[in-house]
Amino acid sequence: MTDRKSTKLYIPQPAENCTLVGILEQLEPHKPTQGRKIALILHGTMGHKDYLFQKRMALRLPFDSFRFDFRGNHESGGKWRYAGFTEDIQDLVIVVAFLRNTYGYEVDMIVGHSRGSVVGIHWLCTSEEGKRVSAMINISGRYRMHVRIHTTGPTATDRPLRSESLRDQDKIDMYKEQFDTKGYYEWRLTVARKPVMERICLRDIEEFASWDTSIVWDYFPQTIHVFTVHGLDDDVVPVHDAIIYARAFGARTPGTHVLHLMEDADHNFTGLPFFSDKTVLSMSSWSG
């Protein structure tokens, strides 16, 4: 579409006196936006607005969309926290209000990957505007949050170490050594081609594990249509979590649920080059 427009927006977040940065994609930028429907695309842990399939999906959707960096991620200011779900939800509330007050947009779809899906689901369950959303795409969403840690150092707890995922168990083993010697774990990774280091403390793991995803059973709006996408080779969030979500979403009416399990696909759908394009095509076709 030749008149499509991409605009970088800077949204004040007063809770931490920082700025959230995102990209507004408009199919018909010269037409009024008052009352126009928009999709929000939410990234996962230590991700950003353009990683994985987010940008490609935004360019394929048949309506306007907005994708942004949560607080402390990539171009957005503020402090990142491993278990900062509450802060992420605050950011989402601020973004929704900004798009409504500045442009007149009405959020009609949430697309969430991994942590972004957990955040999006909670917002849909607890906000008045969430009740008016018509669709959600739940990608690699985690349901079983609980990971228990046992250490012998200064932050020791007598609870056993346990994980539902081999990838989580690997992380716990890495965390444990530094927990025992330093009291925290230094997570070093590359985000948007830049080196990043964040500290994770035992209390962060415990807070992460205590986040309540069961809210979906009683409070997720009855009318929202949900499309769950999960890779069968996901070693970060076990595929059984998608089955649990399917049970929760499938129990509603008149809202519908579609479960799409992808062979050979990992958590980020990056196992082979065609995964991302195939995923984007499936999700865009469903949303259209």
Side-chain angles (χ1 to χ4, degrees), residues 149 151 161 166-182 184-188 200 205:
I149 304 295
T151 67
L161 179 153
L166 293 176
R167 180 69 170 271
D168 283 343
Q169 186 64 57
D170 290 342
K171 285 184 178 180
I172 290 173
D173 292 341
M174 291 189 297
Y175 293 163
K176 185 177 184 300
E177 181 179 353
Q178 292 194 32
F179 281 163
D180 291 345
T181 58
K182 299 179 181 180
Y184 58 83
Y185 173 76
E186 292 184 349
W187 190 13
R188 299 179 184 272
I200 301 173
I205 300 291

Short mmCIF file of all heavy atoms in Angstrom, two decimals, residues 149 151 161 166-182 184-188 200 205:
data_model
loop_
_atom_site.label_atom_id
_atom_site.label_comp_id
_atom_site.label_asym_id
_atom_site.label_seq_id
_atom_site.Cartn_x
_atom_site.Cartn_y
_atom_site.Cartn_z
N ILE A 149 13.77 -22.21 43.75
CA ILE A 149 15.22 -22.16 43.82
C ILE A 149 15.72 -22.66 45.18
O ILE A 149 15.09 -22.41 46.21
CB ILE A 149 15.72 -20.70 43.65
CG1 ILE A 149 15.19 -20.11 42.34
CG2 ILE A 149 17.24 -20.62 43.69
CD1 ILE A 149 15.71 -20.78 41.11
N THR A 151 19.43 -22.48 47.27
CA THR A 151 20.82 -22.04 47.27
C THR A 151 21.43 -22.30 48.63
O THR A 151 20.73 -22.60 49.60
CB THR A 151 20.94 -20.53 46.96
OG1 THR A 151 20.38 -19.80 48.05
CG2 THR A 151 20.22 -20.15 45.69
N LEU A 161 14.91 -26.74 44.35
CA LEU A 161 15.05 -26.23 43.00
C LEU A 161 14.26 -27.13 42.06
O LEU A 161 14.42 -28.34 42.06
CB LEU A 161 16.53 -26.22 42.62
CG LEU A 161 16.97 -25.76 41.25
CD1 LEU A 161 18.39 -25.23 41.34
CD2 LEU A 161 16.92 -26.88 40.23
N LEU A 166 13.38 -27.75 30.45
CA LEU A 166 14.82 -28.01 30.42
C LEU A 166 15.59 -26.71 30.30
O LEU A 166 16.64 -26.53 30.91
CB LEU A 166 15.16 -28.94 29.25
CG LEU A 166 14.62 -30.37 29.36
CD1 LEU A 166 14.95 -31.14 28.09
CD2 LEU A 166 15.22 -31.08 30.57
N ARG A 167 15.08 -25.78 29.50
CA ARG A 167 15.74 -24.49 29.33
C ARG A 167 15.74 -23.72 30.65
O ARG A 167 16.74 -23.13 31.05
CB ARG A 167 15.04 -23.68 28.25
CG ARG A 167 15.63 -22.30 27.97
CD ARG A 167 16.99 -22.40 27.32
NE ARG A 167 17.41 -21.10 26.86
CZ ARG A 167 17.14 -20.59 25.66
NH1 ARG A 167 16.43 -21.29 24.79
NH2 ARG A 167 17.57 -19.40 25.32
N ASP A 168 14.61 -23.75 31.37
CA ASP A 168 14.55 -23.10 32.67
C ASP A 168 15.53 -23.75 33.65
O ASP A 168 16.18 -23.08 34.43
CB ASP A 168 13.13 -23.20 33.25
CG ASP A 168 12.18 -22.22 32.59
OD1 ASP A 168 12.66 -21.27 31.96
OD2 ASP A 168 10.96 -22.42 32.72
N GLN A 169 15.63 -25.09 33.60
CA GLN A 169 16.54 -25.77 34.50
C GLN A 169 17.98 -25.37 34.22
O GLN A 169 18.78 -25.16 35.14
CB GLN A 169 16.39 -27.29 34.35
CG GLN A 169 17.20 -28.09 35.35
CD GLN A 169 16.71 -27.84 36.76
OE1 GLN A 169 15.55 -28.04 37.08
NE2 GLN A 169 17.61 -27.38 37.63
N ASP A 170 18.33 -25.23 32.94
CA ASP A 170 19.66 -24.76 32.59
C ASP A 170 19.92 -23.38 33.17
O ASP A 170 21.00 -23.08 33.68
CB ASP A 170 19.83 -24.72 31.07
CG ASP A 170 19.87 -26.10 30.44
OD1 ASP A 170 20.11 -27.07 31.18
OD2 ASP A 170 19.66 -26.21 29.22
N LYS A 171 18.90 -22.51 33.07
CA LYS A 171 19.05 -21.16 33.61
C LYS A 171 19.23 -21.20 35.12
O LYS A 171 20.07 -20.49 35.67
CB LYS A 171 17.82 -20.32 33.26
CG LYS A 171 17.76 -19.86 31.82
CD LYS A 171 16.57 -18.95 31.60
CE LYS A 171 16.51 -18.44 30.17
NZ LYS A 171 15.34 -17.56 29.95
N ILE A 172 18.45 -22.02 35.79
CA ILE A 172 18.55 -22.11 37.25
C ILE A 172 19.92 -22.57 37.66
O ILE A 172 20.52 -22.06 38.61
CB ILE A 172 17.46 -23.04 37.81
CG1 ILE A 172 16.09 -22.37 37.66
CG2 ILE A 172 17.73 -23.37 39.26
CD1 ILE A 172 14.95 -23.27 38.02
N ASP A 173 20.48 -23.56 36.94
CA ASP A 173 21.81 -24.04 37.26
C ASP A 173 22.84 -22.92 37.11
O ASP A 173 23.77 -22.80 37.93
CB ASP A 173 22.18 -25.21 36.35
CG ASP A 173 21.35 -26.45 36.64
OD1 ASP A 173 20.76 -26.52 37.75
OD2 ASP A 173 21.27 -27.33 35.77
N MET A 174 22.68 -22.09 36.07
CA MET A 174 23.58 -20.96 35.87
C MET A 174 23.38 -19.92 36.97
O MET A 174 24.33 -19.37 37.51
CB MET A 174 23.36 -20.33 34.50
CG MET A 174 23.80 -21.19 33.33
SD MET A 174 23.75 -20.31 31.76
CE MET A 174 21.99 -19.96 31.61
N TYR A 175 22.12 -19.63 37.28
CA TYR A 175 21.81 -18.65 38.32
C TYR A 175 22.41 -19.09 39.66
O TYR A 175 22.97 -18.28 40.39
CB TYR A 175 20.30 -18.50 38.51
CG TYR A 175 19.53 -17.91 37.37
CD1 TYR A 175 18.15 -18.06 37.31
CD2 TYR A 175 20.16 -17.19 36.35
CE1 TYR A 175 17.41 -17.50 36.28
CE2 TYR A 175 19.44 -16.64 35.32
CZ TYR A 175 18.06 -16.80 35.28
OH TYR A 175 17.34 -16.26 34.26
N LYS A 176 22.24 -20.37 39.98
CA LYS A 176 22.56 -20.86 41.32
C LYS A 176 24.01 -20.60 41.70
O LYS A 176 24.30 -20.18 42.82
CB LYS A 176 22.25 -22.36 41.41
CG LYS A 176 22.43 -22.94 42.80
CD LYS A 176 22.04 -24.40 42.83
CE LYS A 176 22.14 -24.94 44.25
NZ LYS A 176 23.51 -24.84 44.80
N GLU A 177 24.93 -20.83 40.77
CA GLU A 177 26.34 -20.63 41.08
C GLU A 177 26.62 -19.18 41.49
O GLU A 177 27.31 -18.93 42.47
CB GLU A 177 27.20 -21.00 39.87
CG GLU A 177 28.69 -20.84 40.13
CD GLU A 177 29.53 -21.24 38.93
OE1 GLU A 177 28.97 -21.78 37.95
OE2 GLU A 177 30.76 -21.01 38.98
N GLN A 178 26.06 -18.22 40.74
CA GLN A 178 26.28 -16.82 41.08
C GLN A 178 25.45 -16.39 42.28
O GLN A 178 25.88 -15.53 43.05
CB GLN A 178 25.98 -15.93 39.87
CG GLN A 178 26.99 -16.10 38.74
CD GLN A 178 26.89 -15.00 37.69
OE1 GLN A 178 26.56 -13.86 38.01
NE2 GLN A 178 27.19 -15.35 36.45
N PHE A 179 24.25 -16.97 42.44
CA PHE A 179 23.47 -16.68 43.64
C PHE A 179 24.27 -17.04 44.89
O PHE A 179 24.31 -16.29 45.87
CB PHE A 179 22.17 -17.47 43.65
CG PHE A 179 21.08 -16.91 42.77
CD1 PHE A 179 20.00 -17.70 42.41
CD2 PHE A 179 21.12 -15.61 42.31
CE1 PHE A 179 18.99 -17.19 41.60
CE2 PHE A 179 20.12 -15.09 41.51
CZ PHE A 179 19.05 -15.89 41.15
N ASP A 180 24.92 -18.20 44.83
CA ASP A 180 25.66 -18.69 46.00
C ASP A 180 26.89 -17.86 46.28
O ASP A 180 27.30 -17.72 47.44
CB ASP A 180 26.06 -20.15 45.78
CG ASP A 180 24.87 -21.10 45.79
OD1 ASP A 180 23.80 -20.68 46.24
OD2 ASP A 180 25.03 -22.24 45.33
N THR A 181 27.52 -17.29 45.25
CA THR A 181 28.76 -16.55 45.44
C THR A 181 28.56 -15.04 45.52
O THR A 181 29.26 -14.35 46.26
CB THR A 181 29.75 -16.86 44.31
OG1 THR A 181 29.15 -16.53 43.05
CG2 THR A 181 30.12 -18.34 44.32
N LYS A 182 27.59 -14.50 44.73
CA LYS A 182 27.40 -13.05 44.67
C LYS A 182 26.08 -12.58 45.28
O LYS A 182 25.95 -11.41 45.65
CB LYS A 182 27.44 -12.58 43.21
CG LYS A 182 28.75 -12.84 42.48
CD LYS A 182 28.64 -12.33 41.03
CE LYS A 182 29.91 -12.58 40.26
NZ LYS A 182 29.79 -12.09 38.84
N TYR A 184 23.43 -12.57 43.39
CA TYR A 184 22.67 -12.19 42.20
C TYR A 184 23.32 -12.84 40.98
O TYR A 184 24.45 -13.35 41.05
CB TYR A 184 22.63 -10.67 42.03
CG TYR A 184 24.00 -10.02 41.92
CD1 TYR A 184 24.69 -9.96 40.70
CD2 TYR A 184 24.59 -9.45 43.05
CE1 TYR A 184 25.95 -9.37 40.62
CE2 TYR A 184 25.84 -8.86 42.97
CZ TYR A 184 26.52 -8.82 41.76
OH TYR A 184 27.76 -8.25 41.68
N TYR A 185 22.58 -12.81 39.88
CA TYR A 185 23.08 -13.37 38.62
C TYR A 185 23.22 -12.25 37.61
O TYR A 185 22.32 -11.41 37.45
CB TYR A 185 22.12 -14.44 38.09
CG TYR A 185 22.48 -14.94 36.71
CD1 TYR A 185 23.55 -15.82 36.54
CD2 TYR A 185 21.76 -14.54 35.58
CE1 TYR A 185 23.88 -16.29 35.26
CE2 TYR A 185 22.09 -15.01 34.32
CZ TYR A 185 23.16 -15.88 34.17
OH TYR A 185 23.50 -16.33 32.92
N GLU A 186 24.35 -12.21 36.91
CA GLU A 186 24.57 -11.23 35.86
C GLU A 186 24.17 -11.84 34.52
O GLU A 186 24.83 -12.75 34.02
CB GLU A 186 26.03 -10.78 35.81
CG GLU A 186 26.45 -9.97 37.02
CD GLU A 186 27.88 -9.46 36.90
OE1 GLU A 186 28.60 -9.91 35.97
OE2 GLU A 186 28.28 -8.61 37.72
N TRP A 187 23.07 -11.34 33.98
CA TRP A 187 22.56 -11.84 32.70
C TRP A 187 23.13 -10.96 31.59
O TRP A 187 22.81 -9.79 31.49
CB TRP A 187 21.03 -11.78 32.69
CG TRP A 187 20.40 -12.49 31.53
CD1 TRP A 187 21.00 -13.35 30.66
CD2 TRP A 187 19.03 -12.39 31.13
NE1 TRP A 187 20.09 -13.81 29.75
CE2 TRP A 187 18.88 -13.24 30.00
CE3 TRP A 187 17.93 -11.69 31.62
CZ2 TRP A 187 17.65 -13.38 29.34
CZ3 TRP A 187 16.72 -11.84 30.96
CH2 TRP A 187 16.58 -12.68 29.84
N ARG A 188 23.97 -11.56 30.77
CA ARG A 188 24.61 -10.83 29.66
C ARG A 188 24.07 -11.37 28.34
O ARG A 188 24.09 -12.58 28.10
CB ARG A 188 26.14 -10.99 29.71
CG ARG A 188 26.75 -10.42 30.99
CD ARG A 188 28.25 -10.61 31.04
NE ARG A 188 28.80 -10.14 32.30
CZ ARG A 188 29.17 -8.87 32.52
NH1 ARG A 188 29.08 -7.98 31.54
NH2 ARG A 188 29.66 -8.51 33.70
N ILE A 200 19.89 -10.20 38.11
CA ILE A 200 18.70 -10.91 38.56
C ILE A 200 18.96 -11.44 39.96
O ILE A 200 19.93 -12.17 40.17
CB ILE A 200 18.34 -12.06 37.61
CG1 ILE A 200 18.11 -11.54 36.19
CG2 ILE A 200 17.12 -12.82 38.12
CD1 ILE A 200 17.91 -12.63 35.17
N ILE A 205 13.33 -13.92 40.91
CA ILE A 205 12.87 -15.25 40.48
C ILE A 205 11.60 -15.62 41.22
O ILE A 205 10.64 -16.12 40.63
CB ILE A 205 13.97 -16.31 40.75
CG1 ILE A 205 15.24 -15.98 39.98
CG2 ILE A 205 13.45 -17.70 40.38
CD1 ILE A 205 15.15 -16.12 38.50
#
